[in-house]
Amino acid sequence: MKNISEHTFHIPVMGLGFSVDTPVKVARFGISSVVSIMQDELLEQMREYHCKQIGEHYHRIPTAELDHRALRVASYLNLLKRIVDSQVEKMKAEPFEEERDIVKYFRLLPEDAPSKELYSKMMMMQGEEKINIQNKLREMIVPGSIDVNIMTKVDNPNYSKNGDMLPIEYTDAISALRGFAKSNFHSSIVFSAGLNTRLFSYIENLPNFYPDEHGSIEKKIILKVSDYRSAIIQGKLLAKKGLLVHEFRIESGLNCGGHAFPTDGMLIGPILEEFKQKRQEITNELLTMCNHALQEKNLPLMNKETEIRVTVQGGIGTVKEDKFLREYYNLNSTGWGSPFLLVPEATNVDATTLNDLASAKQEDYFLSDASPLGIPFNNFRPSSAEAQRKERIRKNRPGSPCYKKLLTFNTEFTERPICTASREYQAKKLKSLDESLLPLEELARQKEEIMSKDCLCDGLAAPALVKNGIPEPHKLYAVTICPGPNLAYFSKIFSLEEMVGHIYGRFNALNSMQRSHVFINELKMYIEYLKKDVSKNMHSLSTKQIKHFSLFKKNLLDGIEYYKNLLPSLTNEADEFKKKMRDELEALNISLKLAVEGIV
């Protein structure tokens, strides 16, 4: 019996609240998804909510409990597993009748999935033969994986009630990791936002990340990366500890939702090509390093035939793009995130925000400076959080009250770190700017930059609370939503069956707005990003910046040539479409050279 889903896509993590209980909605249909485990208070609120929904007793884990973060994470994940296991068992017992989940399970699968083909044959059968095939189909049902996400940069220290800093095992990310390790899950943890040596070192102490005597690993590691170099550096660091990366999840640096991690002009196509060419090399190297470390620890070795999965996500919009990416680059799966924000059956989006997304224009999506992490953040202009931020500025009270303190990194004015989106920090920083002797234009620019920071802890958790009618203790219900710019091409509220049908080519969910290929859209974003960066630094160019712009330009030009040479391989696209792509590449080539003219 197979033990992996036949779906060829997964739903990536989205914010804190958008996908916090997505497994409850889609896992029974074989669809894998990712839950953020960074905000333990939100998980506790959602645990209480779902316990009530299924009639299970809820016992709150208080913050007075020293290891409350890990305990909350483990308790919530175990609840998700119990709910999904129950759903699947109930579904397996259902008759094959319209409107039943068991029928929906097989209807959602891609057309070439073996169990879908058997299901289609069963529908034409009669009598005992039909019953026998139905029983076989029930045994073929596999739920989607419930994976979890930790953003590695969110790893603040925590303090006791008397103000003493707690040991490092109680930092935010390490506590969340320990909670996942304590859970009953057999799934993967997705590490995003780069390398955290302290966090990676802590995994070495967790036995369920190592293979057992049968070569099975209970808890697996997925690294979300933006390029091959990042993958090999992090992969080697873990392999030296005897920890093998189960999957490299490649995400476009700009054509994505949430935080954006732009590369130095390296485009997704050439990045995928490098993974394709070096996949066996990196697999062999990491397996060898991993087994050497396991041998030194006297632990069971990894099977030499073990596969390291490679997947991609960010900006995919059509069945042709999806199929080409999977087949040409030999990928195991693709990630479809932002479009599922328009699917109430899959994600938590409040009614107001949902309607705003369904009627949004392309200019409503923008790359902002809202994140206190100092990383570009995809944002949505009509969001209630953006309206709240502007209203606070209008009332001369910029910044957030900052109750959750997940992004407290700044010590410019305080001994203990505070968040740059907090009211405390912004008041202090604005006062210091007023006392400076900066020219008025520069003063205004810096003030705007300070006040652009917004509270993501509250804003990204709010949608789950608002949609499910869960009280928020401080009545902070403004929603921050961070879709990728690709969502501009989807303008309707969809059913789960419609969106999955779009991915597999059974339904068209795109609006009438002209849309270029995913490769072209990302290239446009990188050129626009470069233009803004050049404009911002034009009057104070350093040698380092000029070198950076030169490398950025070179990588983009190399990417354009790569795409020109790739065009004949796009065999599932019409000649007219490929001609249009070539014309777009030529135009973008000129636009790029003009963007850095006179500089590099």
Side-chain angles (χ1 to χ4, degrees), residues 525-539:
M525 291 173 202
Y526 267 102
I527 293 175
E528 189 61 30
Y529 181 85
L530 177 60
K531 285 179 181 177
K532 289 180 180 178
D533 202 14
V534 168
S535 177
K536 182 179 177 181
N537 294 282
M538 180 64 76
H539 302 297

Side-chain angles (χ1 to χ4, degrees), residues 141-195:
I141 290 173
V142 177
S145 179
I146 307 174
D147 298 321
V148 304
N149 172 253
I150 286 180
M151 193 171 184
T152 58
K153 293 185 183 300
V154 184
D155 193 22
N156 285 326
N158 285 293
Y159 299 83
S160 65
K161 286 191 174 181
N162 60 12
D164 295 329
M165 185 185 292
L166 295 173
I168 62 166
E169 59 261 35
Y170 298 105
T171 63
D172 290 332
I174 289 178
S175 294
L177 172 62
R178 186 166 57 256
F180 173 64
K182 287 175 177 286
S183 74
N184 298 328
F185 271 33
H186 287 254
S187 64
S188 301
I189 189 160
V190 182
F191 291 119
S192 61
L195 180 61

